[in-house]
Amino acid sequence: MGNHHEQPTPPASTVTEAEWDYTTRAVQSAISRGLGQSIGLPVHTAAAFQFGNLEEAQAEFAQGGGLSYARMQNPTVRMLEERLSSLEGAAHTLALASGQAATFTALMSVCRAGDHIVSASTLFGGSAGLLQNVLPLMSIETTFTDGSPEAMKAALRPNTRVLWAEMISNPSGDVADVAALAEVAHGAGALLAIDNTVGGAGYLARPLEHGADMSVQSLTKWAGGHGSAMGGSVSVGSSDLSRNLIFTEGEERSLLNLHGGAALAQRQRWLGASQLGMTLAPHSAFLLGQGLETVGVRLDRECATAQALAEWLSRHERVSAVSYCGLPEHPSYERAQRYLPRGKGAILTFDVPDPSRFLSRLQLLRIAPNLGDTRTLVVHPWTTTHGRVPEASRRAAGVGPQTIRMTVGLEDLADLQADIEQAL
């Protein structure tokens, strides 16, 4: 008589997580399987975690990587980090309290006093302010360029530690030539860090696959997707750190000798979480993890709507200029075809004769400084997001006095067009 409790024979071959499509990984990664396991990310609201004895505590504080104090690590945050690593194609991810915290951690993990950064000038206002106003206080200088590989290479110095650019720049829509920039950076012994916020948590673009060393993003935007929580992350792959003294000093006690390929990730967690305390709250990690489950579905719709709006606005008699990398006349159009096969992003700008009048007449679109929300949001960057940036830098970033920035949400295209039409 057969055994009714006999387990079924497993399939001869299985599909690994690395082979799953993005949308599958977005909903399945980082969730444990088994009796009693939750479907979804549980929220762990604990400030500290227990040890069984002195030796366990000693090992954790010496080596890290486990759970000790919630400033460094939390189970909910860890699950979010695992999901982000899967989506970005990364070896390690650090999640922090905001995108600005992630940017600061990424840059400071490879720089110290006397070092130099080369950056594209088409930047989010907060990143420009960090490079122009904060890092000089630490004797770290930045040279701004047009973002091309040739300009970046010409700006290199012997003490250049990192090149910084945005995958899809906010708000001009410039697309970084990541592979060429990586070649420039690595040839000089520096690293390439890409702000992938508008790239949607790896859905539209995965910079690490093209040679970048760090993929940094504000999770507040498309990753979260609902404007409900703040967060940021730094995802890293495999980097040559042998020409940076931060990682080689100390001989057998150097970061490279102690941590090998995880040295950059270890330094970032030590710096951003342990030392600076820019810790992501567990409930925020839960909300961001939920947002990641639909980022692909949302961006498909948002990119299609953004493309249609950009084409419509470019023909509108009351609009003097439109910037969207999905338009053939955009300087980054050809690069966008290479790096952004799934869509050209959900952010665009357009110039109107009277921004104040236009914004005051809107009835559907909302005026707010966030990006990547399910709702379509507009803002006047000249007086808000880039208002404190020097005028020359504002114009270099694609921002003028008549510019409106729009981040496209999930509303019906015809409804959006009708509201813009009546406001114009």
Side-chain angles (χ1 to χ4, degrees), residues 263-282:
L264 180 57
Q266 287 284 344
R267 177 164 171 81
Q268 288 172 347
R269 189 170 299 279
W270 169 84
L271 178 68
S274 177
Q275 298 299 292
L276 294 175
M278 299 184 292
T279 306
L280 180 65

Side-chain angles (χ1 to χ4, degrees), residues 98-108 127 130 164 195 216 233-234:
S98 68
Q100 194 79 339
T103 298
F104 183 69
T105 298
L107 295 172
M108 289 304 298
S127 300
L130 181 66
W164 178 263
D195 183 333
V216 186
S233 65
V234 188

Side-chain angles (χ1 to χ4, degrees), residues 368-384:
N370 195 22
L371 300 170
D373 201 302
T374 52
R375 290 154 286 270
T376 298
L377 306 177
V378 290
V379 76
H380 184 237
W382 185 265
T383 55
T384 57

Side-chain angles (χ1 to χ4, degrees), residues 189-230:
L191 301 186
L192 174 63
I194 296 292
D195 183 333
N196 197 34
T197 298
V198 189
Y203 183 70
L204 299 181
R206 292 169 63 154
L208 300 178
E209 289 185 347
H210 298 285
D213 300 283
M214 295 182 256
S215 182
V216 186
Q217 63 187 303
S218 169
L219 300 174
T220 313
K221 313 303 192 297
W222 282 273
H226 299 79
S228 57
M230 295 188 71

Side-chain angles (χ1 to χ4, degrees), residues 99-108 110 116-124 126-128 130-131 135 142-148 152 160-167 176 181 185 190-197 214-218 233-234:
Q100 194 79 339
T103 298
F104 183 69
T105 298
L107 295 172
M108 289 304 298
V110 294
H116 177 245
I117 297 168
V118 178
S119 174
S121 58
T122 51
L123 294 182
F124 162 61
S127 300
L130 181 66
L131 292 167
L135 295 191
T142 300
T143 299
F144 292 92
T145 74
D146 64 13
S148 67
M152 291 280 212
T160 301
R161 298 290 172 243
V162 62
L163 274 60
W164 178 263
E166 295 183 359
M167 187 68 240
L181 292 177
L191 301 186
L192 174 63
I194 296 292
D195 183 333
N196 197 34
T197 298
M214 295 182 256
S215 182
V216 186
Q217 63 187 303
S218 169
S233 65
V234 188

